[in-house]
Amino acid sequence: MPQSRVTFSTDDELEQRLFDAAEAKSLGNIKDFAGRPVLVEGGGYEKIWLETQPMGGEMYAKRDLEVGLNNQLFFIETQREDGRLAGAIACEGGVVDPQFNQFQGFCFAEPALNMYYLTGRNPDYLHALYRALKRFDAYLWATRDSDGDGCLETWCQFDTGEDHALRFADAPTQWRPDTPPTGFEVVPIASMDFMGYSYASRDVLARICALAGQQEESASWRAKADQVLNRMREYLWDDGRGAYFDRDRHHRVMPVLLHNTLRTMYWGAITPAMANRFVDEHLTNPREFWPAMPLPSVAVNDPLFRNVPTNNWSGASEALTYQRAIRALERYGRYELIPKLGRALMEAIGPDGAFVQQFDPFTGRPYESAFPGQRQDAYGPCMLSVLEYLSRMHGVHIEFDRVIWGSCGKASTDYTQEWDGRTFRIVSDGRWAEAFIDGVRAFSVPAGRRVVTDLTGEMLAQCDF
């Protein structure tokens, strides 16, 4: 297994404090699952969840590749025969317990693919991932389109990780059966999230087949992914409002303006034109998703917005949304927002603050108790978000066969990624940034640039943040 490590220094006191604290506290979230280390979500969540921990593990792979890989393998290895993936996996007394009472989310397909590249391109791992995604997608379409309208459904609050959100009305929090709930006000809900789960699976399946030289099957999966996107555009996209909207069990549009369109950007399940409309008209609108602390779960001017301080996706700004926003914005070229969000998050946490799940959208105040009576800290998505934003703003991110380099701000910074016996280093004095691969200078650019190279340092693209 290749080794990895990150070192970072800066004369920005806040960023240095948070980097050091996040690195130290993340170690406490590494747990033994039947003799294998994994990174649990933390902050009171002592499991690996499908909505967070494949993504979290891949992010933590900058520091520990074995942990990052295990966070993928446990979901692959515990998949049910019918294709369903565990929504969460616990381990008590050395016994691994995959749990299938909700989906919770799906930040798995692309992070798992990146681990193939980071850990030495093992063909057996790639085949296992292919098989897992193919079976999972088949399960979704066999069970989650119960009314045959061509749109996959969410059946409970925790299927999409929107815990206690008001829009779910009387929906159950969890749902174990493979048959839909009946007698509830809004569920089954035709869901942009579940369509995103399928799109992401099919997109990565197309890429896996291309890597394996199976071009005809790759084209077939690409066409199937396009079918999902086309149905989302026909059925869930409101061109007048510039966002996706779910539909309730009566096929009526649910008009609440959610941040979830940003989630579809994470999965790639939205066209560039649609994504840019959502970003320009809604995500960066101070009256909706860009208040003092950006990225509330529900637009702050929506009738269903509620600013609840405990675990609740009715409105508070969630650290998990900051974590997902990086890939979502990079995929659609909205790089200029990444340092703004990163700095907003770090200033909200503050130099002596705890790493928590939620923040007040109007003040940025951390909500220190996700659960009544329990003070929260070391919440993994918050810590990993800080570390990932710093990697994009001032450092190095290796993804697939590319290296992404960042040099934001006027502070002096020095960031090194060690990986597979190699070093990737970028140093900035706030005016110019120099990058080095294995000690050899690769390029120099004015500070404030985002640069993409291949693994040898050949420049592929650059732009201003």
Side-chain angles (χ1 to χ4, degrees):
M1 177 74 66
Q3 300 298 306
S4 61
R5 187 166 74 104
V6 173
T7 55
F8 175 63
S9 63
T10 177
D11 60 10
D12 185 304
E13 184 177 351
L14 174 64
E15 293 183 356
Q16 189 69 63
R17 277 176 175 250
L18 292 181
F19 175 88
D20 294 341
E23 282 227 322
K25 291 182 180 182
S26 289
L27 292 172
N29 287 341
I30 298 176
K31 305 295 183 182
D32 185 300
F33 270 39
R36 296 158 64 185
V38 302
L39 185 75
V40 301
E41 188 167 331
Y45 300 95
E46 296 303 305
K47 306 175 187 179
I48 54 174
W49 304 84
L50 188 60
E51 75 167 334
T52 61
Q53 291 318 100
M55 169 179 59
E58 181 238 5
M59 291 178 171
Y60 197 73
K62 286 182 170 67
R63 293 155 175 85
D64 191 323
L65 286 163
E66 181 184 10
V67 166
L69 184 60
N70 282 337
N71 274 39
Q72 323 304 319
L73 288 174
F74 269 103
F75 286 99
I76 294 171
E77 294 166 0
T78 60
Q79 185 176 33
R80 287 193 333 203
E81 283 302 313
D82 63 2
R84 181 160 177 173
L85 292 166
I89 304 173
C91 185
E92 303 239 350
V95 178
V96 174
D97 177 24
Q99 299 170 354
F100 298 94
N101 48 358
Q102 76 252 5
F103 280 77
Q104 197 65 36
F106 185 69
C107 292
F108 172 60
E110 210 164 36
L113 179 60
N114 195 33
M115 290 307 303
Y116 162 75
Y117 287 85
L118 293 177
T119 56
R121 307 191 186 212
N122 183 336
D124 293 336
Y125 171 77
L126 193 65
H127 178 73
L129 178 59
Y130 165 85
R131 184 170 181 268
L133 292 175
K134 182 178 180 179
R135 295 166 67 205
F136 177 69
D137 187 67
Y139 172 86
L140 289 178
W141 288 100
T143 61
R144 285 300 179 118
D145 183 16
S146 65
D147 58 6
D149 66 0
C151 190
L152 297 171
E153 300 158 349
T154 179
W155 291 351
C156 66
Q157 290 181 25
F158 293 178
D159 267 350
T160 57
E162 295 170 82
D163 300 7
H164 312 301
L166 288 180
R167 78 185 189 100
F168 281 90
D170 63 346
T173 55
Q174 298 176 315
W175 192 259
R176 181 178 292 274
D178 296 313
T179 53
T182 59
F184 294 95
E185 183 178 339
V186 295
V187 294
I189 294 171
S191 168
M192 70 182 91
D193 286 69
F194 268 72
M195 293 293 272
Y197 302 171
S198 177
Y199 183 91
S201 297
R202 293 177 174 193
D203 170 61
V204 170
L205 283 164
R207 288 193 252 173
I208 290 173
C209 290
L211 285 169
Q214 303 296 324
Q215 301 304 329
E216 186 173 335
E217 187 179 358
S218 177
S220 175
W221 281 116
R222 180 61 55 207
K224 290 176 180 178
D226 289 342
Q227 290 171 4
V228 173
L229 178 56
N230 290 338
R231 184 55 177 157
M232 293 177 73
R233 182 165 42 195
E234 293 166 357
Y235 195 53
L236 302 178
W237 178 256
D238 186 326
D239 201 52
R241 296 185 69 185
Y244 280 128
F245 294 88
D246 288 349
R247 291 178 180 256
D248 68 16
R249 70 184 185 94
H250 303 289
H251 305 275
R252 297 174 301 204
V253 172
M254 300 176 71
V256 58
L257 184 58
L258 304 168
H259 86 284
N260 299 43
T261 300
L262 180 65
R263 296 184 181 190
T264 69
M265 293 171 59
Y266 176 91
W267 295 306
I270 185 171
T271 69
M274 292 158 62
N276 282 312
R277 276 201 63 191
F278 178 74
V279 170
D280 292 335
E281 297 176 22
H282 301 295
L283 192 70
T284 55
N285 184 338
R287 298 183 300 278
E288 295 181 349
F289 293 104
W290 206 269
M293 179 66 174
L295 306 189
S297 305
V298 177
V300 297
N301 61 353
D302 191 279
L304 283 189
F305 171 84
R306 300 290 188 278
N307 191 11
V308 181
T310 53
N311 176 31
N312 191 299
W313 284 73
S314 295
S317 300
E318 300 275 351
L320 177 52
T321 303
Y322 276 76
Q323 188 180 15
R324 286 189 280 228
I326 299 171
R327 188 182 295 273
L329 295 170
E330 285 182 333
R331 187 188 293 276
Y332 292 90
R334 300 308 297 259
Y335 313 119
E336 78 280 5
L337 299 179
I338 290 173
K340 294 177 181 178
L341 289 174
R343 192 66 192 186
L345 177 63
M346 287 184 273
E347 289 180 354
I349 297 168
D352 300 314
F355 294 97
V356 302
Q357 179 176 342
Q358 298 188 161
F359 299 83
D360 187 314
F362 303 111
T363 67
R365 181 170 67 90
Y367 287 138
E368 295 185 353
S369 178
F371 309 101
Q374 299 180 30
R375 189 176 186 275
Q376 190 179 40
D377 193 8
Y379 180 59
C382 190
M383 297 189 295
L384 290 168
S385 290
V386 167
L387 296 173
E388 283 295 291
Y389 279 102
L390 289 173
S391 79
R392 301 311 200 279
M393 293 162 65
H394 310 301
V396 178
H397 173 66
I398 300 171
E399 185 169 276
F400 310 130
D401 52 5
R402 303 176 307 153
V403 185
I404 299 168
W405 312 76
S407 61
C408 282
K410 297 181 179 179
S412 295
T413 59
D414 189 340
Y415 188 109
T416 298
Q417 173 72 66
E418 298 177 33
W419 168 68
D420 195 18
R422 307 186 65 192
T423 61
F424 300 81
R425 181 186 181 201
I426 186 165
V427 182
S428 174
D429 63 4
R431 296 172 297 171
W432 282 88
E434 284 190 295
F436 302 86
I437 298 179
D438 299 330
V440 178
R441 185 174 174 274
F443 63 82
S444 177
V445 293
R449 290 278 173 87
R450 178 186 189 272
V451 175
V452 181
T453 71
D454 66 13
L455 293 171
T456 70
E458 181 177 349
M459 193 172 295
L460 304 176
Q462 64 171 305
C463 65
D464 293 331
F465 273 104

